[in-house]
Amino acid sequence: MKKQFVIPAIVVLLALVLASGNAYLINLCVVAAMTTLPAVGLSLLMGYTGQISLGHAAFVGLGAYASALLCKSLGLNPWLAIPLATALSAVAAWCIGWLVFRLRGHHLAMATLAFGIIIHVAMVEWRGLSGGQDGLADVPSLQVLGFDLRSDAAMFCIAWAACLLAIVLAGNLVRSPFGFAMRTVAENEAVAGSIGIASASLKRKVMALGGAYAGFGGALYAHWLGYISPGPFDVGYSVRLLLIVALGGFSGLWSVVFGVFFVVITSEALKPFGRFDVVIYGVLLVFVMVRCPQGLLAGLHQLFDRLSGGARRRAGSDA
């Protein structure tokens, strides 16, 4: 499908889902939207800048808890708490980037994984702030002129409008000179340095941007459900985000949406397996990385080209 038709196609599909009034589908799409935001940020970091992160769920959790606590403890309006929580996640990501981007390869992967685990443990053990395993209840909902926007239909519109805007902004970024610098750093940091690109600074900026996307998604999630606990922000969620980016292709922002729906739908199918779903996702991730390193969509496209090419050759030989 040509890129100019992607947005209208997605809008039409979402409108059909909303018009159907099917509560289950609408709820599923809201979950997909909440997942798309951090996945787009991770795609910028891993797909376009070539930096691995195995702890991205931590930034989602930071955004969710920060926005909830700002409302519950300081009495802030959610419309003000959400941007503050987003900024906090971005600052946290920048600080983590300053620490971990001195490392490379598997050391970098282990450092980001450790960060994700530390944040999750803090959410569980810092009971006075986070509520521990019990979590935080009665998180205020978004409201406009007194109308409560917690319903799935209202959040469907808000979250997907935010997602489409976030993807368009990210698309403009990767086509800008900054995006060229990101891709150059991903391909060869030595070459990037030789043409005046400050790799370390650039990677921290992209890390902060990815943290902002994740924190924004987490904050929306908290105000939608009205309740948060550490469970959804564990290492398993980081693995799912990584799988989403790998399925869609590391250098395709719109294909992230495909990866999100694939994982969200399979999550529903894997519910009978409980926590073993992380194992299944891990195996699937290894398969994609080995067999389809450019992403599942690219792999399917190559398979289609191969099959159609073979069919054309057979037709030519028959003629």
Side-chain angles (χ1 to χ4, degrees):
M1 181 182 290
K2 293 184 178 180
K3 289 184 178 180
Q4 61 266 35
F5 298 128
V6 171
I7 295 180
I10 292 176
V11 171
V12 168
L13 287 174
L14 292 174
L16 289 174
V17 171
L18 191 60
S20 73
N22 187 308
Y24 177 74
L25 283 180
I26 293 173
N27 180 275
L28 208 62
C29 286
V30 176
V31 173
M34 302 293 177
T35 311
T36 297
L37 287 166
V40 170
L42 187 61
S43 178
L44 289 175
L45 182 65
M46 295 187 65
Y48 289 91
T49 317
Q51 304 305 307
I52 194 166
S53 174
L54 299 180
H56 210 62
F59 301 119
V60 185
L62 282 176
Y65 273 94
S67 194
L69 289 169
L70 285 171
C71 293
K72 289 176 66 70
S73 301
L74 301 181
L76 293 186
N77 187 295
W79 291 110
L80 179 58
I82 289 175
L84 288 176
T86 301
L88 177 66
S89 294
V91 171
W94 188 93
C95 294
I96 295 303
W98 183 76
L99 290 171
V100 302
F101 286 143
R102 302 177 183 192
L103 306 173
R104 295 178 184 278
H106 64 278
H107 292 101
L108 174 60
M110 294 301 292
T112 55
L113 176 63
F115 167 71
I117 293 173
I118 290 170
I119 294 298
H120 184 256
V121 170
M123 291 176 190
V124 173
E125 298 298 334
W126 200 349
R127 299 174 189 277
L129 187 67
S130 67
Q133 291 286 13
D134 295 333
L136 297 174
D138 300 325
V139 179
S141 61
L142 291 170
Q143 295 188 358
V144 173
L145 300 175
F147 290 99
D148 195 315
L149 302 179
R150 179 161 286 165
S151 69
D152 287 353
M155 193 53 72
F156 179 101
C157 299
I158 294 172
W160 274 107
C163 279
L164 295 177
L165 179 61
I167 296 175
V168 169
L169 290 176
N172 289 332
L173 179 70
V174 299
R175 288 191 294 273
S176 71
F178 189 83
F180 169 77
M182 290 163 59
R183 292 191 293 275
T184 306
V185 168
E187 291 173 6
N188 193 315
E189 287 193 33
V191 172
S194 69
I195 59 175
I197 297 173
S199 299
S201 174
L202 182 137
K203 287 188 288 186
R204 287 195 296 271
K205 290 175 182 174
V206 179
M207 186 77 166
L209 187 59
Y213 271 70
F216 182 54
L220 282 181
Y221 174 83
H223 294 289
W224 171 47
L225 286 186
Y227 167 77
I228 52 173
S229 65
F233 312 118
D234 60 4
V235 174
Y237 187 48
S238 291
V239 172
R240 282 193 286 275
L241 290 175
L242 182 60
L243 179 61
I244 286 168
V245 177
L247 284 171
F250 284 105
S251 298
L253 291 170
W254 289 108
S255 55
V256 167
V257 179
F258 163 79
V260 166
F261 274 100
F262 182 92
V263 170
V264 169
I265 291 171
T266 53
S267 293
E268 292 295 304
L270 294 176
K271 277 185 177 177
F273 295 93
R275 298 298 298 168
F276 284 103
D277 64 339
V278 177
V279 178
I280 297 172
Y281 283 132
V283 173
L284 183 57
L285 179 61
V286 171
F287 173 80
V288 171
M289 296 296 287
V290 173
R291 303 298 301 178
C292 313
Q294 301 303 316
L296 188 59
L297 275 181
L300 292 174
H301 189 262
Q302 290 172 358
L303 178 62
F304 176 77
D305 285 347
R306 196 177 304 160
L307 293 176
S308 60
R312 282 196 297 271
R313 284 193 295 274
R314 285 193 296 273
S317 61
D318 291 342

